[in-house]
Amino acid sequence: MVSPLPVKGSAPRHGDIWGARAADWAANEEQQLPTYEEALRRVRLSEGDAVLEVGCGSGVFLRLASDRGARVHGIDAAEALVALARQRVPEAGVRVGDLQFLPYEDDRFDLICGFNSFFFAADMVAALREAGRVAKPGGQVLIQVWGRPERCDLTAMKQAVFPLGPPPPPDAPAQLRLWEPGVLERAVMTAGLAPLDAFDLSYAFEHPDEATLVRLTLAPGLVVEAIRCSGEDAVREAIVESLAPYRRPDGSYSLENEWHFLVARA
Ligand SMILES: C[S@@+](CC[C@H](N)C(=O)[O-])C[C@H]1O[C@@H](n2cnc3c(N)ncnc32)[C@H](O)[C@@H]1O
C-alpha cells in the first residue's frame, strides 16, 4: 500500500534550503565517494537489486550503484537537486518528495540507503518505519549519521555557524546523539527493523583554496538558513575563522570527519 500524501513532513523546509545552492552542494556530495564505496562493500549489492536512496541529493550514490548493476531510485525534498540527479543518472527513477511518506508500494526494494538524511525527517523513527515498509522482507536499510563530534573537523564550523541561524521550528525533532553506541540501534528497533552491522568510517574532504572551501561550505541547507538569518558576510567570516586550524601552509584545507553507519534488516 502506498502511503497517503504527507500532512506534516519536513520536506517543504528542507527542499527550500537544500535546493538554494544546488550546484555547490553537489560538489560536496562528489567528495563523499568513500562513504558510498564503503556502503556498497558492506551491503554486498547483487546485479539487478532494486535500490532506493532517500534524501538522494544530486545522485552521486545513485550513479555508483547503477554502475554496479543496481536498478536505482531516489527521492529528495529539493527540486533543484532532483533535477541534477536526473541529469547525472538518467536511467534512475528520481522523484521530489518526503522521505517519511514514500510514494512506493510495500516490499519493493532490496536496499534502502539514507546518507545523512533520515535525521532530517520530521519524525526519524517514522521515516525508518517507512523505509522498512518499502523494503522487501529481509531487505537492508543503511543509515549514515555524523560520527563523534570530537572526531569531526567540521564540528568547529557547525558550532560557529549554526548559532547564526534561526531558532529551530517549534515542531523540530529533538537532536539525538546518534553516533553513540546503541542510540541508532534503539531507533531502528522501535521502527521494527533489526540492527545488523554498525561501523565508523573516517576520511578527509580536500579543498584547494579558501575560495573553494567557502563556496562549498555555504551550500548545506542549515548554512543557507544561517545566511538568510544573519547575512552571507557573517557566515563567511565564521566559516573562515572556525576552519583556520585546518588550513595548510599552501592555502589548501583538509577536513577529516568521522561518520557512523548502521545496516538493519527489514
Ligand atoms: C546532507 S544532504 C545528503 C545528500 C546525499 N544523500 C549525500 O550523501 O550527500 C541531506 C539531503 O536530504 C534531503 N532531505 C532533507 N529532508 C528531507 C525530507 N523530509 N524528505 C526528503 N529529502 C529530504 C535534502 O534535500 C538533502 O538533499
Side-chain angles (χ1 to χ4, degrees), residues 10 14 18 29 32 36 53 55 76-77 81 97-99 115-116:
S10 69
H14 284 291
W18 285 93
E29 249 179 58
Q32 295 177 41
Y36 307 140
E53 185 188 2
D76 198 281
L81 290 173
D98 194 308
L99 57 80
F115 299 104
N116 290 330

Side-chain angles (χ1 to χ4, degrees), residues 13-14 119-122 124 146 158 162 168-169 171-179 183 222:
R13 171 185 170 211
H14 284 291
F119 51 77
F120 290 121
M124 188 179 76
W146 287 91
K158 294 200 285 184
F162 291 174
D171 57 350
Q175 294 300 304
L176 298 173
R177 295 166 65 84
L178 294 169
W179 55 86
V183 175
L222 300 185

